[in-house]
Amino acid sequence: MYSARKYWILFMVLSLALSLAQAVAAQEKFPGKPVRMVITHAAGGSVDLPGRAMALYMQKYLKVPVMCENMLGGGGRKAMEYVFGDAKADGYTIVASAFPSRLIGEMVYESKYKMKEFIHLGSWVGGDYRTIFVAKNSPFKDFNQVMEESKKRKINVGGGGGLGSTSQLQIVYLKEVVKLNLNFVPFDSDAEVAAAVLGKHLDIGTGPLSGAIRVYKSGDTRILAVHSPKRIKEIPEIPTMKELGFDGVVIPYGVGAWAPPKTPKDRAKILSDAIMTASKDPEFIKWAEKSSTMLDPMGPEEFYKVTLEDYRNIEKVLPLLMKEK
Amino acid sequence: MQQDGARSLFEYPAESIFRGYWIPPPNVEPPMFPKKFKDPVFIFNGSLLIVFIWMNHLADRFSERAQKFPKFVLGIGILALTFWMVAYLIFPGLLKFIEAQAEKEEDSAGNRSRYYGAWLCIAGSILMGYLFGFIFVVPTAFLSYGLIPGEKKRWISLIALMLVMTACFYVGFYRILHIPVLKGVVLDID
Amino acid sequence: MVPLGIIYQGIAGTFTLENLLLLLLGLVVGVVVGILPGVGPAAGMVLVLPFSVSLQASSALILMSGVYFASSYGGSVAAILVNTPGESASAATLLDGYPMTQRGRGAEALGISATAGCLGAVFGLLVLAFTAPLLASLALRFGPAENCLLALFALSVISAIVKRNPMKGLISACIGLVLATVGSDQVSNSIRFTFGLEPLEDGIPFIQTMIGLFAISQVLTLSEQNQTISRVELAGSGFLTGFKTTFKHPFTLLRSFIIGIWIGALPAAGRSTASFMAYAEEIRVARDKSQFGKGNPVGVIASEMGNNACAMGDLIPTLSLGIPGSVGAAVFLGIMIIFGVIPGHRVFIDQGKTIYGLFTAFFIESLLILGLGLTYAKYFAKIAMVRNDFIVPIILIFSLLGSYTIQNSFFDLLITAVFGALGYFMNKHGYSPVPLVLALVLGPMLEKNFQRALIMSEGSYRIFFHSGISLVLVALTVFSLGYPYLSPLLKRREKHSR
């Protein structure tokens, strides 16, 4: 019908005009439209939840929504490579992920992204060091007993996460630096490792502090040691690997955000400030406490320094990691 | 020259030599040889056998631990397929015995051209989505499917539905869920 | 035992207006999310997360529970009516659910789905509420060797399913097992069969494959035949018929329930495993196996009961140990932790009010879903009568949409198209897709645990015969492989000796 067609044309012209107007408006003030936070791992996981929590609080200070998008693949590689090379560097796309795992991934896989070249916006989760734990009624009362036993037979050690993860780094450290005589049994997730340890199918298990603390507090496991520089506040009775005589096996773990290398500096600063302010937000801190997430916020400069330091440390063990490939 | 149907059986070879290709006499049954090879199940099983053998060869390059399972499974598959091929080509009776319990599936008459049309629709929708952004899958699917010859179409309601769905998708996915639907290789409106 | 006072408080706490509205919202979001192929409960829960930040723990969890629960129902609706699995666990439901729709019994299938689902949830809740810690510690006794044998047992059930055409069934299973090995093998750190395609490094994506195998192949079949999904609505077959039919098969319900709860309790296996195993088990014990795949209500009862019992079972290790029993449960766990509900055997006492409030919410939800189904199933089922040139593009669009939005990847659409071609071919020429799907689901579990067990035992195969559980599983596997072929022989001998 003739008149109906006129209305369709009018409708289409209007919507086109509206979207153009919005695009123009977005240029004027940053941020003028939603910011996209790409998350390297699956929804609900240990990388995703801190990412989403930060996104929620960030948007309070940015005054625009921060939309999270899970981009899975290659153990984080896909998302990192995308944000590094393919995404528009206009400040509207950032990536949140764990470190130093992405750094390890870059070096082991010789990937297309370079952590050194990303703009470091800041980190909020930190200090989630790796631990060694056993079942509650395991014959091993402390780590030295494990070392003793390993002289007689191979110790079955479980770990989650694949090549290029902090889990693998820990296993390499245990094998090569601590010289533990072990069989590495890889699992798909830290949860499965915990189940296998509790079921006494493994001698010892490895996992991040946040996970281990939970199962420890409920009384089902005992933590034997932590790969951290100092004793952990929540579990002051657990020794560090250093105290047990094993130096140089500190394995940090944190969650932070980066922006593509060519992002304009002024926009990057706005994003960094939002992250830093959000991490000091009392409600955010309350969330972290409730969820046993360890906070150790770092600003962009400090974060970048840590990355450079991690480069040096991992380069030292890189040949050992590559051996596993 | 007489019409095809009225040619005597002797003229075909001569005609064929003249033309340079074989003209099959109309009442002669096509030889068993090609017919067997045209059966889709045969083609499928045969190609699968070749693929499996090739993958088995590729698996040799994996590390020892990684090889075990794939080679085991491929081995079973290759054995089964070879057994089937032998039965199909040489001992048809054996095949009938194995598949005796299989019921004859009712072969409902299908329209091959609609089938190809459906493929064009699927491929076209994916292509349009890839080039211009996912939202274009909606109009392409409706329009290209509608273009397939068939019964009388209700174009007005079809197009109305298409526009409504496109609008819903745009609002639902882009505005509410913030999933990029206008992003493709050629077009990129964010 | 948890003090009754806490239980009572928990139950009562659910019945506030705010909580009930949240429950309803969660249900609606869950059903919509479930119907959309590829968007599963995890995505749905994450979607409502921003809304829940300002809520109290119990209210937030009630909202989440609605999404967690209803998404499986939504998935079943899509599976039954348009052969599109809304999530991986619904794939088993479509095997007999869609044929029922084709024969005009769509509303009945929806009825069965809702009823079996409701029963699975209710009884699952009872088990969860009263025996969770016990079951959890039993489940822990399944280590890699036992999990491997369990997967083998589940696969061995294939031999019963394909008795009709063993050669094609075996080939179908082999294809599935080979496909399961594609991708990076975590245990041995090598990348297998990716042919240089980077997106394949994480393996063949499961839901996209299901969508192709079932939904796209249906698109092709429907186009070719230029028909509506179902030509006629069978008189006298409606939601209530489905409701009644479900109760006519108590043993099916029992068997599938046990399988579902147990698979849920095992952290290593998820809802797709549970629903397929329950389905396969029904075929194994059925006398007339030929009706499966043609619209046999028992098939729908089994897969739905298995699925929902597993959903509750997944919460067993999640709540008792903090070890999530599935992806959906993992998101649920993460959200529980955010709201301060820390799992462990003390959670029932420390957070008893919240936990029992949650259980009450699940209970109400299962009844609501039943009611919802009763009211609307008729109308949902009318989809089967929609004209060919409307319904086919719609199914196509939703299938492609589902496949695409999981990873925003066009490569996944190609995978879907390829499997669409395969599915169409297999349907037309008598290759059952069930072994392929089972193999794809169970292959990784089988191989990974096999490798892990061997690492732990340093190469000795004795680990597979070491524990009581493993011996039982080995015996069951041998039995299930051999019985379908030996039993007719045994029966004949019996007849002769009389």
Side-chain angles (χ1 to χ4, degrees), chain A residues 184 194 206 215 219 310 318 324:
Chain A
F184 174 46
T206 62
V215 207
D310 286 337
L318 191 59
E324 303 286 321

Side-chain angles (χ1 to χ4, degrees), chain A residues 41-159:
Chain A
H41 286 77
S46 57
V47 176
D48 177 75
L49 286 176
R52 285 185 189 272
M54 171 51 72
L56 273 176
Y57 288 93
M58 253 177 100
Q59 51 188 28
K60 265 209 300 197
Y61 300 100
L62 282 179
K63 312 260 195 316
V64 293
V66 177
M67 296 281 122
C68 297
E69 189 187 312
N70 300 85
M71 190 182 285
L72 280 68
R77 247 183 314 151
K78 181 172 173 191
M80 297 307 276
E81 283 177 1
Y82 168 73
V83 176
F84 186 76
D86 299 317
K88 273 200 276 213
D90 54 7
Y92 286 104
T93 307
I94 64 177
V95 62
S97 189
F99 63 92
S101 330
R102 298 294 81 75
L103 178 58
I104 302 177
E106 171 201 324
M107 299 172 87
V108 171
Y109 285 106
E110 287 148 34
S111 55
K112 290 187 228 153
Y113 65 90
K114 302 273 170 264
M115 293 309 292
K116 263 195 272 215
E117 294 173 29
F118 270 107
I119 304 228
H120 286 57
L121 296 174
S123 72
W124 50 102
V125 173
D128 194 3
Y129 298 98
R130 307 282 306 179
T131 64
I132 300 177
F133 61 93
V134 295
K136 180 175 53 182
N137 40 20
S138 148
F140 299 116
K141 300 283 179 264
D142 60 53
F143 191 66
N144 285 315
Q145 282 185 345
V146 177
M147 291 298 292
E148 281 301 309
E149 185 69 20
S150 84
K151 294 195 185 121
K152 297 184 224 150
R153 64 170 175 94
K154 286 205 163 174
I155 304 285
N156 284 332
V157 181

Side-chain angles (χ1 to χ4, degrees), chain C residues 22 61 73 77-78 91 192 247 280 309 325 328-329 336 345 358 410 419 430 460:
Chain C
L22 285 171
L61 286 177
Y73 179 68
V77 170
R192 301 188 289 195
F247 290 102
M336 278 202 309
H345 28 243
L358 190 63
F410 277 101
F419 278 95
S460 152

Side-chain angles (χ1 to χ4, degrees), chain B residues 39-41 44-45 48 52 54-56 58-59 62-63 65-70 73-74 76-77 80-81 83-84 98-103 105-112 114-115 118-119 121-122 125-126 129-131 133-134 137-139 141-142 145-146 148-154 157-158 161 165 169 173 177 179-180 183-184, chain C residues 36 39 47 103 163-168 170-171 173-175 177-178 180-182 185 187-188 190-193 195 216 219-227 290 294 387-390 392-394 396-398 400-402 404-405 408 410 413-414 417-418 420-422 424-431 443 446-447 450-451 454-455 461:
Chain B
D39 179 24
V41 177
F44 180 75
N45 280 355
L48 199 59
F52 275 8
W54 179 42
M55 286 175 92
N56 192 40
L58 281 178
F62 302 156
S63 74
R65 215 186 267 159
Q67 274 186 17
K68 271 196 220 157
F69 189 75
V73 172
L74 285 169
I76 296 182
L81 284 167
F83 181 75
W84 187 90
I98 295 176
E99 297 186 359
Q101 310 209 31
E103 299 148 26
E105 300 291 328
E106 32 174 293
D107 222 357
S108 19
N111 189 333
R112 280 318 269 187
R114 283 193 65 90
Y115 171 73
W119 267 114
C121 173
I122 295 175
S125 308
I126 296 182
Y130 179 66
L131 290 177
F134 193 84
V137 169
V138 182
F142 275 108
Y145 193 73
I148 302 178
E151 56 190 49
K152 187 156 172 24
K153 305 294 158 92
R154 308 238 291 263
S157 23
L158 196 70
L161 180 62
M165 272 193 86
F169 265 54
F173 282 89
L177 295 173
I179 294 177
K183 218 167 147 69
Chain C
L36 283 180
V39 189
L47 204 66
R103 287 161 178 74
K163 215 174 113 176
R164 268 183 287 153
N165 200 332
M167 191 57 70
K168 289 187 174 163
L170 181 61
I171 293 174
C174 281
I175 298 178
L177 284 173
V178 170
T181 60
V182 173
D185 174 32
V187 181
S188 63
S190 56
I191 302 187
R192 301 188 289 195
F193 299 136
F195 301 107
I216 299 289
V219 162
L220 291 168
T221 313
L222 284 173
S223 323
E224 195 182 31
Q225 297 175 353
N226 201 8
Q227 286 171 358
S290 62
K294 295 205 168 58
R387 294 168 55 97
N388 181 279
D389 48 347
F390 280 58
V392 172
I394 291 180
L396 177 63
I397 290 169
F398 276 101
L400 292 179
L401 174 75
Y404 177 71
T405 53
N408 282 349
F410 277 101
L413 289 186
L414 288 178
V418 166
L422 183 65
Y424 172 81
F425 179 87
M426 285 174 74
N427 279 330
K428 221 169 177 183
H429 295 282
Y431 291 80
L446 178 66
E447 188 192 6
F450 178 72
Q451 290 178 318
L454 282 184
I455 293 178
Y461 284 86

Side-chain angles (χ1 to χ4, degrees), chain C residues 180-495:
Chain C
T181 60
V182 173
S184 62
D185 174 32
Q186 185 212 32
V187 181
S188 63
N189 275 330
S190 56
I191 302 187
R192 301 188 289 195
F193 299 136
T194 56
F195 301 107
L197 294 165
E198 205 192 300
L200 284 182
E201 273 176 29
D202 289 311
I204 303 238
F206 183 70
I207 304 185
Q208 290 84 325
T209 310
M210 292 294 104
I211 293 176
L213 217 46
F214 295 105
I216 299 289
S217 67
Q218 264 309 300
V219 162
L220 291 168
T221 313
L222 284 173
S223 323
E224 195 182 31
Q225 297 175 353
N226 201 8
Q227 286 171 358
T228 55
I229 295 176
S230 128
R231 254 166 288 189
V232 63
E233 232 169 279
L234 204 62
S237 151
F239 192 88
L240 278 175
T241 323
F243 183 79
K244 286 186 243 170
T245 311
T246 313
F247 290 102
K248 287 197 198 145
H249 299 272
F251 287 109
T252 304
L253 288 170
L254 186 63
R255 276 188 294 262
S256 311
F257 178 74
I258 293 178
I259 292 178
I261 277 279
W262 186 247
I263 299 283
L266 293 178
R271 283 155 73 171
S272 23
T273 311
S275 53
F276 273 104
M277 266 194 85
Y279 181 80
E281 185 62 17
E282 284 313 299
I283 299 185
R284 197 173 71 80
V285 303
R287 243 168 244 156
D288 178 16
K289 301 182 206 284
S290 62
Q291 286 308 308
F292 283 95
K294 295 205 168 58
N296 187 344
V298 173
V300 184
I301 298 176
S303 66
E304 284 299 295
M305 171 58 95
N307 186 357
N308 282 279
C310 186
M312 292 300 130
D314 278 337
L315 293 175
I316 292 179
T318 310
L319 288 175
S320 323
L321 302 165
I323 297 173
S326 72
V327 174
V331 181
F332 206 70
L333 176 67
I335 291 171
M336 278 202 309
I337 293 175
I338 289 182
F339 286 97
V341 180
I342 313 293
H345 28 243
R346 293 201 55 80
V347 73
F348 288 90
I349 302 175
D350 293 341
Q351 299 278 356
K353 231 173 57 157
T354 311
I355 297 284
Y356 284 94
L358 190 63
F359 291 169
T360 316
F362 276 125
F363 184 75
I364 299 178
E365 278 148 15
S366 46
L367 293 176
L368 277 178
I369 293 269
L370 201 58
L372 184 84
L374 190 64
T375 327
Y376 292 108
K378 262 204 308 270
Y379 303 103
F380 277 147
K382 288 227 187 287
I383 289 183
M385 309 285 280
V386 170
R387 294 168 55 97
N388 181 279
D389 48 347
F390 280 58
I391 194 76
V392 172
I394 291 180
I395 299 180
L396 177 63
I397 290 169
F398 276 101
S399 308
L400 292 179
L401 174 75
S403 250
Y404 177 71
T405 53
I406 299 178
Q407 294 185 110
N408 282 349
S409 150
F410 277 101
F411 181 80
D412 289 353
L413 289 186
L414 288 178
I415 298 254
T416 303
V418 166
F419 278 95
L422 183 65
Y424 172 81
F425 179 87
M426 285 174 74
N427 279 330
K428 221 169 177 183
H429 295 282
Y431 291 80
S432 164
V434 176
L436 195 158
V437 176
L438 256 176
L440 206 52
V441 172
L442 293 167
M445 186 176 160
L446 178 66
E447 188 192 6
K448 282 190 191 164
N449 284 303
F450 178 72
Q451 290 178 318
R452 284 175 197 144
L454 282 184
I455 293 178
M456 283 162 46
S457 67
E458 296 188 41
S460 152
Y461 284 86
R462 280 179 48 198
I463 193 172
F464 294 107
F465 302 97
H466 183 67
S467 70
I469 299 179
S470 51
L471 288 170
V472 168
L473 285 171
V474 171
L476 280 174
T477 307
V478 171
F479 178 73
S480 93
L481 274 172
Y483 187 74
Y485 299 99
L486 293 176
S487 79
L489 286 170
L490 288 168
K491 286 205 185 107
R492 230 178 285 160
R493 215 195 278 170
E494 234 184 64
K495 255 203 265 184

Side-chain angles (χ1 to χ4, degrees), chain A residues 5 13 15 25 30 112 164 166 171 181 194 200 227 252 258 276 314:
Chain A
R5 203 188 296 169
V13 168
S15 31
F30 178 83
K112 290 187 228 153
T166 45
I171 299 293
N181 186 17
K200 305 237 237 350
H227 289 256
W258 300 267
M276 288 297 102
I314 294 175

